Amino acid sequence: MCGIVGYIGTQDVTSILMSGLKRLEYRGYDSAGVAVIEKNELSVIKTVGKLTNLGNKLKERTPHGHIGIGHTRWATHGRPSDVNSHPHQGISKEFAVVHNGIIENYLELKEWLVKEKGHKFHSETDTEVIAHLVEEFYEGDLIEAVRKTLAKVCGSYAIGVIALKEPDKLVAARKDSPLIVGLGKDENFIASDIPAILNYTRDVYLIEDGEVVEVTRNRVKILDADNNLVKRDIFRVEWDAEAAEKGGYEHFMLKEICEQPEAFKKTLSGRIIDGKVKLNELNFTKEQVEKWKKVFVVACGTAYHSGLIGKPLIEDFLKIPVEVDIASEFRYREPLLNEDTLAVFISQSGETADTLAALREARAKGATTLAITNVVGSTISREADYTIYLWAGPEIAVASTKAYTTMLIAQYLLSIYLAQVKGTMPEEKEAKILKALQELPCKAEEILEQKEKYLRLAENMKEAEHVFFIGRGYDYNIAQEGSLKLKEISYIHAEAYAAGELKHGTLALVTEETPVIAIALQEKTYEKTLSNVKEVTARDAYVIGLANEGDQEILKTVNEAIYIPKIENIVSPILAVIPLQLLSYYAACVRGCNVDQPRNLAKSVTVE
Ligand code: F6R
């Protein structure tokens, strides 16, 4: 995710910006840059790649001054490149802007600036419109120009802005993206994250949504959305730098589990408008969609599990058959792909070698290829005909959590969009699902508010040698993801079974020593699942039921129940996995495992 740091004071700004950016490296980024006001010039130096690349550029020419802003970019709009890196400038080169977040209406604003105001753009980014708007509205007062700019933009942002004509101030603002002001003596800082400034100060103001701040060397003015002066208490940071990188969480995995409500909002952002799914990245015609006789969904691991849930959605909404394949198996079974096929490749990293090889195979056979990925500019996104980005922010823990749930959301959106184009989506059903998708961030919050209760469950399961996860339909698919999560980070052997399949062999392994997690959320299969649960309770297994809030019935069959908030049944898989992620997380903690970097595993698997 992008990182921001800004400084105004008496020290040399470039080295402070670089040290701040270094502290933000853990967040993941693909390019970096700084803007510094020198004597009569605003110097911007930026480059694709790691901070060492920027350091090398700065060795060629180091700007010297006492005010500046810096940024690490994790590409969203526009691939990683020198020109797309931040800071961005307008046409006059008198302003520089860094931005975290997404400006949803940037295309519309860009068109207005180009056609009506004669601006010329350099990059493919959404951020550049902010620089041009500030320039357009500037009449000698930077904070006013920023306010006018923000009144025009829709989306999420934390921004830092400097202007050559006002070298005594930094202006910053936030909406749905974190921003802090660090307080020093004769110097102040802005940053997206606390670690960026911890080398210099522990006293910060936490800026809130809708606020705009003006920061000089010895004064910080915070204005609310109505331009009223805000009095803010100083927050004293007591964490060490490592804890601060994780935002106070003990592990990146827990941080990323807890980021899901925010990630959901970002995946959905700008994609449901007036009760319809809008995927601007796709421009399929009815003829094109009607031509597809079959869909393949191809991926590995957790991404593959997400595809298993995509399959029934596409089949139900589009009324065509879908095959879901493990990418490493795909090429070796001569899949029947041709021009009448849509092939969907799901990959958080966008670099998984097997998924990439499968994509190339599908292209060679003439299929239309569509990637669902989290990493802009990744190889899979570049090679696919179409890409849907997750916008979940970088995932650092090896075990995938927020990428999985946002992959699910992307597939709900994709299947509804395709069915809309094809004309096979009943309006009432569409409306219900879209409403439920929009409820997800709040409902996920409700689960996360009670996250500690999964610690107790994990304690009870700590000594188990085997754990079974069972369910039917979507509940089975969630069981598959829950079991992978548990085994990969806690090293407890776990298996997922279609609940009805246990009695065909595996039931032999169930004893009183085997905890069973029974997922019973799907109304269609509820009774049948409970019958299967009785088969395991009859063998004295301890059963934890995962049920819909209010389901008291299940308590007659299971030993204890955990609940997800009520939501339209068809989208319940997206919430259902969160308790299982938490259970796995705490199981790994209580067993003393390396949660973020489990043994033998890597975040990005670039070998076949
Ligand atoms: C498990 C996990 C892996 C990945 C798999 C594919 O938690 O993260 O199973 O899902 O290696 O990776 P991507 O999605 O990057 O293609």
Side-chain angles (χ1 to χ4, degrees):
M1 218 150 10
C2 306
I4 289 177
V5 60
Y7 174 79
I8 182 160
T10 51
Q11 303 188 59
D12 181 53
V13 63
T14 305
S15 54
I16 291 185
L17 295 179
M18 285 301 280
S19 107
L21 293 179
K22 186 109 201 94
R23 300 308 294 260
L24 297 179
E25 270 196 309
Y26 72 94
R27 295 165 58 80
Y29 67 105
D30 47 53
S31 47
V34 294
V36 169
I37 299 185
E38 300 194 83
K39 270 203 178 102
N40 300 313
E41 200 185 338
L42 199 163
S43 301
V44 174
I45 297 173
K46 55 187 190 173
T47 177
V48 71
K50 294 291 164 195
L51 279 179
T52 41
N53 294 10
L54 181 61
N56 289 339
K57 264 199 167 175
L58 288 169
K59 273 186 206 146
E60 288 164 25
R61 195 185 97 60
T62 311
H64 292 289
H66 304 289
I67 171 169
I69 48 179
H71 192 259
T72 45
R73 173 175 191 251
W74 197 73
T76 57
H77 293 63
R79 71 185 59 191
S81 69
D82 287 359
V83 73
N84 287 337
S85 314
H86 300 206
H88 285 285
Q89 299 192 272
I91 27 185
S92 68
K93 309 288 175 217
E94 291 192 357
F95 304 88
V97 173
V98 288
H99 165 225
N100 291 356
I102 295 174
I103 303 300
E104 286 163 14
N105 58 341
Y106 81 103
L107 284 174
E108 196 182 294
L109 293 169
K110 190 167 171 174
E111 192 176 305
W112 175 72
L113 285 158
V114 171
K115 290 207 177 129
E116 310 279 326
K117 304 286 172 185
H119 287 248
K120 279 201 176 61
F121 279 70
H122 312 283
S123 74
E124 302 159 302
T125 65
D126 51 338
T127 302
E128 195 182 337
V129 293
I130 303 179
H132 287 266
L133 287 171
V134 170
E135 181 170 57
E136 185 59 37
F137 294 133
Y138 188 74
E139 287 174 318
D141 183 353
L142 184 58
I143 199 162
E144 200 42 41
V146 169
R147 292 191 78 88
K148 285 187 177 154
T149 297
L150 298 179
K152 288 260 175 205
V153 304
C154 305
S156 60
Y157 51 78
I159 56 167
V161 189
I162 52 175
L164 186 58
K165 289 199 177 118
E166 296 183 59
D168 59 339
K169 68 181 66 141
L170 293 165
V171 171
R174 89 158 255 181
K175 180 172 168 272
D176 295 332
S177 192
L179 179 72
I180 57 152
V181 175
L183 307 169
K185 188 167 166 5
D186 251 356
E187 61 183 8
N188 287 312
F189 306 79
I190 59 162
S192 52
D193 306 84
I194 289 169
I197 50 130
L198 268 190
N199 279 350
Y200 306 96
T201 180
R202 288 185 167 269
D203 289 338
V204 302
Y205 287 141
L206 304 174
I207 303 307
E208 298 199 349
D209 272 351
E211 291 177 346
V212 181
V213 288
E214 187 185 78
V215 182
T216 66
R217 232 169 77 175
N218 36 35
R219 189 176 46 93
V220 176
K221 190 163 95 181
I222 306 177
L223 297 168
D224 69 11
D226 300 319
N227 223 0
N228 301 312
L229 207 56
V230 175
K231 187 159 164 25
R232 178 72 25 88
D233 292 335
I234 293 176
F235 175 75
R236 174 103 188 140
V237 182
E238 305 289 356
W239 318 316
D240 61 15
E242 205 201 325
E245 282 176 1
K246 293 177 188 144
Y249 292 99
E250 203 169 328
H251 298 101
F252 282 112
M253 184 179 174
L254 184 59
K255 175 168 180 269
E256 287 156 11
I257 291 173
C258 293
E259 278 170 354
Q260 288 178 109
E262 215 40 56
F264 293 177
K265 283 188 205 157
K266 294 210 169 109
T267 309
L268 290 167
S269 169
R271 286 171 165 167
I272 301 177
I273 297 170
D274 299 333
K276 290 279 156 211
V277 175
K278 295 271 181 289
L279 290 173
N280 292 331
E281 48 279 75
L282 311 181
N283 53 0
F284 296 135
T285 60
K286 191 163 195 270
E287 293 67 50
Q288 224 173 337
V289 178
E290 275 176 345
K291 198 180 87 155
W292 296 324
K293 300 289 174 286
K294 190 166 191 178
V295 177
F296 283 87
V297 179
V298 185
C300 301
T302 285
Y304 166 75
H305 289 159
S306 84
L308 294 173
I309 290 180
K311 170 186 160 86
L313 295 175
I314 304 176
E315 287 184 338
D316 180 14
F317 303 166
L318 266 88
K319 311 291 177 215
I320 46 172
V322 179
E323 283 192 43
V324 191
D325 271 80
I326 294 173
S328 55
E329 294 290 313
F330 185 66
R331 278 184 304 158
Y332 305 104
R333 68 171 187 92
E334 300 294 330
L336 296 173
L337 293 153
N338 55 34
E339 295 75 16
D340 296 340
T341 318
L342 170 68
V344 180
F345 298 87
I346 310 176
S347 172
Q348 184 283 133
S349 61
E351 302 295 345
T352 300
D354 282 315
T355 312
L356 179 60
L359 164 69
R360 288 178 177 157
E361 170 92 7
R363 276 184 71 105
K365 291 198 164 153
T368 302
T369 57
L370 189 155
I372 297 180
T373 181
N374 198 27
V375 181
V376 175
S378 55
T379 313
I380 289 176
S381 74
R382 279 187 275 121
E383 295 201 14
D385 299 316
Y386 301 89
T387 299
I388 298 176
Y389 288 114
L390 302 176
W391 308 132
E395 217 178 39
I396 293 165
V398 166
S400 189
T401 52
K402 62 178 178 171
Y404 172 74
T405 41
T406 52
M407 280 168 187
L408 294 182
I409 295 178
Q411 289 177 83
Y412 281 80
L413 292 173
L414 173 66
S415 49
I416 294 173
Y417 163 81
L418 293 176
Q420 257 170 223
V421 176
K422 195 174 176 186
T424 49
M425 190 78 202
E427 280 198 4
E428 202 185 321
K429 186 165 178 172
E430 174 179 349
K432 269 194 192 159
I433 300 174
L434 294 185
K435 181 170 166 287
L437 289 175
Q438 287 167 308
E439 286 167 6
L440 283 171
C442 277
K443 307 266 171 170
E445 277 304 352
E446 284 177 39
I447 300 173
L448 293 166
E449 275 162 17
Q450 298 185 28
K451 57 179 179 302
E452 276 76 22
K453 77 171 175 214
Y454 298 96
L455 175 60
R456 183 190 55 78
L457 286 180
E459 291 273 7
N460 295 346
M461 193 176 280
K462 180 173 156 184
E463 305 298 340
E465 235 172 286
H466 313 280
V467 175
F468 279 91
F469 289 74
I470 60 171
R472 284 170 174 247
Y474 291 125
D475 292 344
Y476 170 44
N477 304 136
I478 287 302
Q480 288 169 293
E481 177 55 10
S483 112
L484 176 65
K485 221 71 317 164
L486 184 68
K487 72 183 125 195
E488 75 175 311
I489 58 165
S490 76
Y491 315 146
I492 298 175
H493 173 238
E495 290 299 333
Y497 260 84
E501 186 64 11
L502 269 184
K503 55 184 170 296
H504 297 287
T506 311
L507 196 56
L509 294 179
V510 174
T511 67
E512 76 256 345
E513 311 270 283
T514 329
V516 174
I517 315 248
I519 305 164
L521 298 162
Q522 293 306 306
E523 286 153 7
K524 242 197 315 202
T525 51
Y526 182 79
E527 294 300 338
K528 296 265 184 241
T529 303
L530 289 199
S531 304
N532 301 136
V533 172
K534 286 183 188 134
E535 293 161 9
V536 298
T537 49
R539 271 88 196 164
D540 293 328
Y542 188 85
V543 181
I544 302 166
L546 174 55
N548 292 305
E549 190 178 72
D551 177 359
Q552 294 301 313
E553 191 57 30
I554 197 165
L555 294 170
K556 294 184 190 151
T557 313
V558 300
N559 299 85
E560 64 178 308
I562 47 180
Y563 292 101
I564 61 161
K566 280 215 174 89
I567 190 134
E568 189 64 32
N569 209 221
I570 193 170
V571 305
S572 64
I574 305 170
L575 292 181
V577 78
I578 301 175
L580 304 186
Q581 294 169 343
L582 288 164
L583 182 63
S584 306
Y585 168 76
Y586 286 117
C589 292
V590 295
R591 284 167 62 90
C593 302
N594 183 344
V595 174
D596 286 334
Q597 285 171 331
R599 69 184 178 212
N600 307 341
L601 300 179
K603 186 67 189 161
S604 183
V605 185
T606 51
V607 287
E608 286 185 38

